Amino acid sequence: AQSVAQPEDQVNVAEGNPLTVKCTYSVSGNPYLFWYVQYPNRGLQFLLKYITGDNLVKGSYGFEAEFNKSQTSFHLKKPSALVSDSALYFCAVRDLSGGSYIPTFGRGTSLIVHP
Amino acid sequence: EPEVTQTPSHQVTQMGQEVILRCVPISNHLYFYWYRQILGQKVEFLVSFYNNEISEKSEIFDDQFSVERPDGSNFTLKIRSTKLEDSAMYFCASSEARTGAYEQYFGPGTRLTVT
């Protein structure tokens, strides 16, 4: 079975400061991992993914995420937050050893960047 | 940039009524999905669709639900007899291929309110 946890409902950060949005996962085999962002009144928008290869993945809008197999984590990071980054962020995982092609989404973390 | 569209943006219906939610996936995508998100809860998978048939479905997708691709562009979700607990945001998504390694593109959602 595959599952994902986003332990923080909300993350607050000042503009210009680094941000981290946490995600941990549980799978039987190897994972595919995804981050999506949802702006108000919009659908989920793909940010980045880890499939294989380099543990540090770079995505849209200056975001990156690091795959850490030993800690089963895939935290989303950005060196310098912008007010426009304020949105809802979803982590998703798919277990390669499972029979389903459908990823499981986390509950979402609300990122608030203060000016 | 191509995007997934959904109509209506908000649907209010009475308990027991039938509703049809409509989606237009990205034109060259082959796989289509419906998800729902009850307020404050996780994004939950309902069903995936490929080559005019259901590929996978969750336990939520019971006999009250059905999907259809009536023409070359639309993808619909029908709820035959709505219940109060069907109130949620419903998202349509599409992907180029099976979502194991391919990201999904989401529409803006339809907010369904059952009274």
Side-chain angles (χ1 to χ4, degrees), chain A residues 32 36 38 43 49 100-101, chain B residues 56 98-101 103-104 107:
Chain A
Y32 287 158
Y36 288 82
Q38 185 181 27
K49 64 183 177 184
S100 170
Y101 288 85
Chain B
E56 295 184 58
R98 268 188 160 173
T99 194
E103 59 272 23
Q104 295 165 301

Side-chain angles (χ1 to χ4, degrees), chain A residues 25-42:
Chain A
Y25 66 89
S26 175
V27 294
S28 302
N30 290 317
Y32 287 158
L33 291 154
F34 303 82
W35 275 103
Y36 288 82
V37 61
Q38 185 181 27
Y39 298 102
N41 302 314
R42 301 288 298 274

Side-chain angles (χ1 to χ4, degrees), chain A residues 9-114:
Chain A
D9 289 336
Q10 185 171 304
V11 170
N12 291 278
V13 64
E15 187 173 33
N17 283 0
L19 70 87
T20 299
V21 182
K22 295 180 180 176
C23 172
T24 58
Y25 66 89
S26 175
V27 294
S28 302
N30 290 317
Y32 287 158
L33 291 154
F34 303 82
W35 275 103
Y36 288 82
V37 61
Q38 185 181 27
Y39 298 102
N41 302 314
R42 301 288 298 274
L44 279 71
Q45 184 178 331
F46 171 73
L47 270 182
L48 51 79
K49 64 183 177 184
Y50 171 81
I51 302 300
T52 187
D54 196 348
N55 288 344
L56 184 63
V57 178
K58 294 189 184 295
S60 308
Y61 312 121
F63 284 94
E64 60 188 29
E66 186 165 12
F67 171 61
N68 188 318
K69 189 169 185 177
S70 62
Q71 296 187 6
T72 62
S73 67
F74 189 57
H75 301 330
L76 182 70
K77 300 184 180 188
K78 188 174 181 181
S80 178
L82 300 172
V83 172
S84 57
D85 292 329
S86 299
L88 195 56
Y89 290 81
F90 292 91
C91 183
V93 66
R94 191 218 146 197
D95 186 348
L96 279 137
S97 69
S100 170
Y101 288 85
I102 306 302
T104 297
F105 284 82
R107 186 184 296 274
T109 298
S110 177
L111 173 66
I112 299 174
V113 182
H114 303 278

Side-chain angles (χ1 to χ4, degrees), chain B residues 95-111:
Chain B
S95 64
E96 289 181 63
R98 268 188 160 173
T99 194
Y102 287 87
E103 59 272 23
Q104 295 165 301
Y105 291 77
F106 285 78
T110 293
R111 180 168 298 284

Side-chain angles (χ1 to χ4, degrees), chain B residues 59-79:
Chain B
E59 59 274 9
I60 301 169
F61 193 86
D62 61 22
D63 292 344
Q64 291 299 311
F65 292 88
S66 63
V67 288
E68 195 178 29
R69 189 157 161 83
D71 52 42
S73 58
N74 289 285
F75 179 51
T76 63
L77 174 71
K78 182 192 289 186
I79 309 175

